[in-house]
Amino acid sequence: MTNSCIFVKNNKMFIEINPANIDRRLIAQVVEALRKGELIIFPTDTVYAVGCDATNKKALAELAKWKGVKVQKANFSIICSDLSQVSLYVKQIDRVVFRLLKQYLPGPFTFILEATNEVSKLFDASKKEIGIRIPDNAIVQAIVEELGHPMATTSLHDDEDEITGYFVDPAAIYERFDDEFPIIIDGGYGHLEASTVVDCTGGSPEIIRQGIG
């Protein structure tokens, strides 16, 4: 991948972004769609994901509808730009957990932490826990930084799906999902493994799903 470009069909955009040379105009276009409440498909440091502006109620409802759950029951993670932003959405963490986050983020991990009231406000429901991600992917990092607050996210595949070519190949993703999402970002091939999930809400961190991390 050397250049960035946009392919448009029926007002749906397939945006190719080179992670080694990010076109900020394309990032701004993606963020504008997010602020309008649109859902996007985007690359991470693991599998491709679906996401929206976490502060947009309409978008959260659409993401939950796509996933087939009520927004109050949805277990979406949020993607933050850095640990400073994370601190707005999780309760004070101890030194051990903080060192863990600092060591492994950005990276292919989802850390489950105790949520603040800010998370409950986002989802209009009492949320005691929230999954936190800071992917090691320049494209999604640029999007979240430009957006200025987290994205709510869920994997493109369902847990029962085998992660095959049409979940890792951007062209195959576009062919399958172009009628469902206004923007699909091609950031190169994704991975076949999801993130490693670490529960930090108990006495000590515990891996509850072994993934790529």
Side-chain angles (χ1 to χ4, degrees), residues 15-184:
I15 303 179
E16 182 181 297
I17 300 178
N18 183 349
N21 185 23
I22 291 178
D23 187 333
R24 292 287 165 174
R25 294 169 299 177
L26 296 181
I27 296 297
Q29 198 164 351
V30 171
V31 169
E32 182 182 358
L34 287 170
R35 287 176 176 153
K36 289 178 179 177
E38 305 284 11
L39 307 187
I40 67 169
I41 293 178
F42 59 95
T44 71
D45 52 358
T46 58
V47 296
Y48 268 76
V50 182
C52 69
D53 180 346
T55 67
N56 189 306
K57 303 289 188 185
K58 170 180 169 286
L60 280 172
E62 285 298 315
L63 185 60
K65 181 180 178 182
W66 181 79
K67 203 66 175 177
V69 296
K70 292 184 177 180
V71 68
Q72 293 84 359
K73 300 290 186 182
N75 289 320
F76 299 141
S77 297
I78 60 173
I79 294 178
C80 296
S81 58
D82 53 32
L83 290 179
S84 176
Q85 192 175 73
V86 168
S87 67
L88 300 174
Y89 297 94
V90 302
K91 292 182 178 179
Q92 187 170 359
I93 54 181
D94 63 34
R95 215 174 303 173
V96 172
V97 173
F98 180 76
R99 282 202 298 264
L100 199 66
L101 300 183
K102 202 166 183 181
Q103 180 177 354
Y104 290 105
L105 296 177
F109 292 85
T110 300
F111 288 99
I112 300 175
L113 300 165
E114 292 185 19
T116 64
N117 288 336
E118 291 301 314
V119 173
S120 296
K121 290 176 186 176
L122 294 179
F123 294 97
D124 288 329
S126 178
K127 292 279 186 183
K128 295 182 178 179
E129 303 170 351
I130 186 66
I132 297 291
R133 286 223 63 202
I134 304 179
D136 187 12
N137 179 281
I139 295 171
V140 69
Q141 284 184 5
I143 291 170
V144 177
E145 286 169 9
E146 179 77 15
L147 184 61
H149 42 255
M151 286 174 56
T153 183
T154 183
S155 296
L156 182 60
H157 69 286
D158 288 325
D159 290 340
E160 62 267 21
D161 286 331
E162 182 182 353
I163 307 177
T164 54
Y166 58 78
F167 290 122
V168 300
D169 179 355
I173 290 171
Y174 181 71
E175 188 175 330
R176 179 172 179 181
F177 294 103
D178 70 304
D179 60 335
E180 296 182 51
F181 299 92
I183 291 180
I184 296 174

